[in-house]
Amino acid sequence: MILNRNFTLLAFAIAAPFITATNAFTLPTSTFVSPFRHNVQAVLDDCGLPKNCSTRKRLNALNAEKKSDSGLAPGVSKNLLTETIAPFRGLRLFLYAAFASGAFVGGLITATGVAAALSGVRSDVDLNAEYVNLAIDFGAVALFGVLAKIDLDKGEELKKSVEDKIENKKKQKKIVKGMREREQRLSKLELDVRVTEDGETKRASVGIMQEKAKQHIILVAGPGRVIRDALRGAQLNKVNFAMTNILVVPYETGLDEAERASKPSGSGFADRPSYERQPYVAEPVGEGWDEFIAEEINTAVEQAGEKAKDEGIALVIANDGKVLRRGLGKVPWRQMVDELEEAVTGEKKETAIPFLEFME
């Protein structure tokens, strides 16, 4: 019977790897939290402790520290999410422990029989068969131990992955919040807008241009090479800009205040290349632009890496102040114009192609 029992254990050992692929549901009991676990206030009320009691105050403070934003203790929501992704790990570990325990107990019983035979107490023991049984028993123990170790390691990897995703989500929320704050600040930044063919300009805030003149804005920021390529491409679409009330705002990075001030303006307007003298090109002036662009580029670097500094960024801003798109790399002007038309009219153009994004 012992031999048959051990062969049964061996069958369990052979079947164990397949358990890892089963789809049996198990409740995440290790992380289950009673809805009454954190209700310290109700317990204190039932106990009749005065509200100004120091013990009540300490317990309330401890309870507040243990709660997370969702009402669960720190780490509980993470464990619940982990067990939701892999709901069978608890069952597998239980089976590993049960089978290993059975094999270990069987091995101890077999070992006592072998010891009795070797000491001469029993003469009816087939030592060769018992040695096989010992190998099967303790081999099963080792096998289930290895399987449990592998499963636990996978669980730690999954937990680490869940932690990373939660942190990334928190980081993403922080980034989005910063973007929304910058959108509010953008309306207060100032532009020099050309109003005559000889280069005469008038200064107005972005918000005024959007609200009063109903101008959409495409902001391009990056090194000089990126700005030149973008403005040359924009020159080919100037008719579309005029028809859709679009202002192009180029901002060259890497310039200090002296270099930026030395650019020809006013009487030196004719010294600029033709693509910079177009009526749809507005020049960013005044305070706040440096900080705004630096924060936008830093956000792009967080999303797409250091290449964002070399490739430049582009923002498509509707006349209601909403940033429709943030992207980097070569500026697809036609697609940007189509997106603005779609935002205004609500009609999707068939020629519109999604713009390379670093942020949805």
Side-chain angles (χ1 to χ4, degrees), residues 229-297:
D229 291 344
L231 291 179
R232 290 189 183 108
Q235 193 171 10
L236 300 176
N237 293 275
K238 58 184 179 181
V239 176
N240 292 327
F241 293 161
M243 293 176 62
T244 51
N245 294 328
I246 293 177
L247 279 179
V248 177
V249 180
Y251 186 96
E252 184 175 348
T253 58
L255 298 180
D256 56 28
E257 293 184 3
E259 291 174 324
R260 202 174 297 281
S262 66
K263 282 193 169 186
S265 60
S267 59
F269 178 72
D271 297 333
R272 292 194 174 191
S274 61
Y275 52 78
E276 291 187 9
R277 302 198 304 267
Q278 300 300 316
Y280 55 80
V281 178
E283 185 175 354
V285 293
E287 298 180 353
W289 280 104
D290 291 342
E291 293 80 5
F292 178 85
I293 296 299
E295 291 174 10
E296 285 289 341
I297 290 179

Side-chain angles (χ1 to χ4, degrees), residues 91-235:
L91 175 62
R92 292 197 300 267
L93 292 175
F94 171 78
L95 292 177
Y96 295 153
F99 294 155
S101 298
F104 183 72
V105 172
L108 291 180
I109 295 173
T110 302
T112 58
V114 172
L118 293 176
S119 62
V121 176
R122 294 181 58 184
S123 59
D124 59 339
V125 176
D126 185 349
L127 289 177
N128 291 330
E130 294 302 295
Y131 289 148
V132 172
N133 290 339
L134 282 175
I136 293 173
D137 284 330
F138 291 109
V141 173
L143 174 62
F144 288 121
V146 170
L147 292 175
K149 179 65 168 60
I150 293 174
D151 217 337
L152 290 172
D153 290 343
K154 292 292 184 181
E156 290 300 319
E157 292 178 6
L158 178 59
K159 187 177 294 185
K160 181 65 168 58
S161 176
V162 169
E163 289 177 355
D164 292 342
K165 288 183 179 180
I166 292 175
E167 288 301 319
N168 288 337
K169 188 175 180 179
K170 292 179 180 178
K171 186 177 179 181
Q172 192 71 11
K173 287 183 178 179
K174 184 177 180 181
I175 290 174
V176 172
K177 182 180 179 181
M179 288 180 175
R180 298 295 174 261
E181 292 175 352
R182 288 198 297 274
E183 290 178 15
Q184 298 297 323
R185 288 161 42 199
L186 177 63
S187 63
K188 300 178 181 179
L189 301 181
E190 294 186 326
L191 299 171
D192 274 349
V193 183
R194 293 176 177 84
V195 294
T196 63
E197 294 184 358
D198 60 357
E200 182 181 349
T201 62
K202 286 189 176 181
R203 185 163 298 186
S205 67
V206 172
I208 292 297
M209 294 302 300
Q210 291 173 327
E211 181 181 356
K212 303 298 183 182
K214 302 300 180 183
Q215 293 288 310
H216 307 295
I217 292 175
I218 298 179
L219 172 62
V220 182
R225 167 186 52 80
V226 173
I227 298 300
R228 289 191 295 272
D229 291 344
L231 291 179
R232 290 189 183 108
Q235 193 171 10

